[in-house]
Amino acid sequence: SYHLCCDATNAEAVDRLRARKHRRAKPFALMTNDIETIERYAFVDDDERSMLLSPVAPIVLLERRPAPTMVDTVSPPPSGPPIAAIRPRGKDAPYRPLAPGIAPGQRTLGFMRPYTPLHLLMLKRVDRPIVCTSGNLSDEPPCIDDDEARARLGSVADWFVVHDRPIRNRVDDSIVRRVGGTMRTVRRARGLAPSPEPLPPGLERAPAVVACGGQFKSAFALTADGQAVVSPHLGDLDHLSAFEAYEETFALMTELYRHRPAAVVVDRHPEYRATQWGRAKAEAERLPLIEVQHHHAHVAAVMAENGYSLDGAPVLGVAVDGLGLGDGDAIWGGELLLCHYARYLRVGTFKPVPMLGGDVAARQPWRNLYAHLRSAIDEAELKMSFGDLPVVERLMKRRTPLLDQAYADPQLSPPASSGGRLFDAVAAAVGICFESQEYEGHAATELEAAITAEDLAEAQAGERYPIGIPKHPTLDLPYLEFKGMWTAILGDLYAEVRQGLISARFHIALAEAVARLAESVRRQEGELSTVVLSGGCYLNRHLLEWTKTVLERSGFRVLTPARFPAHDGAIALGQAAIAAARMTR
């Protein structure tokens, strides 16, 4: 696929690329020819080094190294000299600080090494990192055709380098990150997919299916002969061009693997484009249609990746993400499910809070903060105790009768047990992405990045934000109640506690509350030894590591995603495993 490149040390060039690409905040990937150069900008351990040097050559997310104060530090002029001659590289090259716009609000940098001859030739003449980002406009799939690139990227790129070899398959760069001592996939694409994955023991003879995946970070899966092949990352299907890429890739892989499904598997959500496409395919080809609940698929994906047997004891699945359609058309997003492959039982949840304005709440974190505070703290108490806090004053200026009417109307603001919207609310409370977020998970990513090692150590050693576990009066389920946590967060804001420490305290409190809820379910259900962590919120390093640590201290075996991402890019694998189990049984 096409890449867009520029000098990563030239602030003007980076800002111009952001403006033209319509990508205001999402980090840019960097490319350089040697590990020595990477180590000048980021810390690299042995596992990360091996991944950088591997044939896969993914983008590796690395902890940013503080910029040195050096005699040979060079800042190029805004326009920068032309990069033409072969120059010293690595430790022999002068240090040039990266442009501030490379990864705003992040503690990580995404580096990759060249993986084509053209990359190698280009980087021989470069003595600094370059931006190497997908050749697309924001959220669209990358271009693969010369005419398409000129048409879609003509307003972005000043120059084009084309080749006489056509690109057959549209594919993004893979992204990996070391979390909890394991290299984990963030985006599964070039070099990693498609590749066959054995289905779990007991499903070797299941009929072939096509599993259509979800709406966001989409990927589909084909199964046959005891194996599943999951497509590369295809993007968010609410963009027409991404859906066209989905159909193109499906046609290519179906032809490549000569796949003939016996059934079609879809997410339960009727508005997902992948669901609608799967329904139409099943109807046109007169195939059985199997619907799978979103969070059950998240859990099953991690079970399948870890080779959990069909005949294994039930696991306790913890699925924390933005949202998915649950039972009775309820919106779920922070769930504890007692799972087999073929079935599940909801045994715990996060407190359902109105999504103020519906889908728009996912783009404007202040709406989630308003809803969470209204849900947790009595209005009179909020005004009396915290009314003069700047963040509360800022919220109250937005309050109108129409806003309160929307909050009270389940049709306009459906209740959701969403972990993603909880992260958005906490981020807005501490001043991160208060107005809006530019990409999915933006607020949560910056909330994670706010935490320093000192913040984490102090939070682990100090008092905990209180999160209760009462029984919900209508759901008849134990749930996480955040009233005490919100009171404590507002108290910390009054005391002017630093942003990173509040974030660390929140992460630890949530991880420990999930572990206590798991222990409560184990007492209720009896023998329960295995917990599965899944869902997009477990891309968060601190949440995954601390939840896993506390659960293991309580005697649980904990399964986590690694080769497949925690987010919706893996649910097609879970859908396929669930359908295989139902058809086998």
Side-chain angles (χ1 to χ4, degrees), residues 47-48 51 58-61 174-188 192 302 305-306 533-534 538-546 548-549 552 558-567:
D47 289 340
E48 292 161 343
M51 191 59 73
I59 298 167
V60 182
L61 299 183
S174 292
I175 305 175
V176 300
R177 184 186 186 190
R178 191 173 187 272
V179 175
T182 300
M183 296 303 299
R184 300 183 190 273
T185 301
V186 177
R187 184 166 72 198
R188 189 173 177 273
L192 297 177
V302 181
E305 178 188 336
N306 284 273
L533 302 181
S534 62
Y538 282 110
L539 289 172
N540 184 304
R541 186 186 79 185
H542 300 304
L543 186 67
L544 180 69
E545 290 180 347
W546 196 247
K548 184 173 184 290
T549 295
E552 287 176 342
V558 182
L559 303 182
T560 58
R563 297 191 312 281
F564 288 82
H567 57 57

Side-chain angles (χ1 to χ4, degrees), residues 193-329:
S195 61
E197 178 80 9
L199 287 172
L203 298 179
E204 297 90 347
R205 299 187 179 184
V209 304
V210 53
C212 298
Q215 180 77 355
F216 304 105
K217 297 179 173 60
S218 65
F220 59 83
L222 311 177
T223 71
D225 303 322
Q227 293 184 321
V229 179
V230 181
S231 76
H233 166 88
L234 295 166
D236 297 347
L237 298 187
D238 47 3
H239 296 277
L240 178 60
S241 54
F243 181 63
E244 290 171 345
Y246 180 100
E247 291 188 304
E248 290 171 6
T249 307
F250 180 81
L252 178 67
M253 285 182 55
T254 299
E255 177 186 355
L256 178 65
Y257 291 100
R258 299 181 181 179
H259 189 257
R260 297 293 180 269
V264 178
V265 195
V266 297
D267 188 277
R268 185 184 290 175
H269 200 303
E271 300 301 320
Y272 283 1
R273 207 167 219 156
T275 298
Q276 295 170 348
W277 181 86
R279 285 180 177 277
K281 179 178 178 62
E283 183 176 351
E285 300 182 17
R286 297 184 178 181
L287 296 171
L289 182 74
I290 299 174
E291 291 187 343
V292 172
Q293 199 280 323
H294 188 86
H295 300 95
H296 186 200
H298 267 307
V299 175
V302 181
M303 294 168 66
E305 178 188 336
N306 284 273
Y308 199 85
S309 173
L310 176 65
D311 295 324
V315 304
L316 180 60
V318 180
V320 186
D321 66 356
L323 61 87
L325 194 64
D327 296 342
D329 290 341

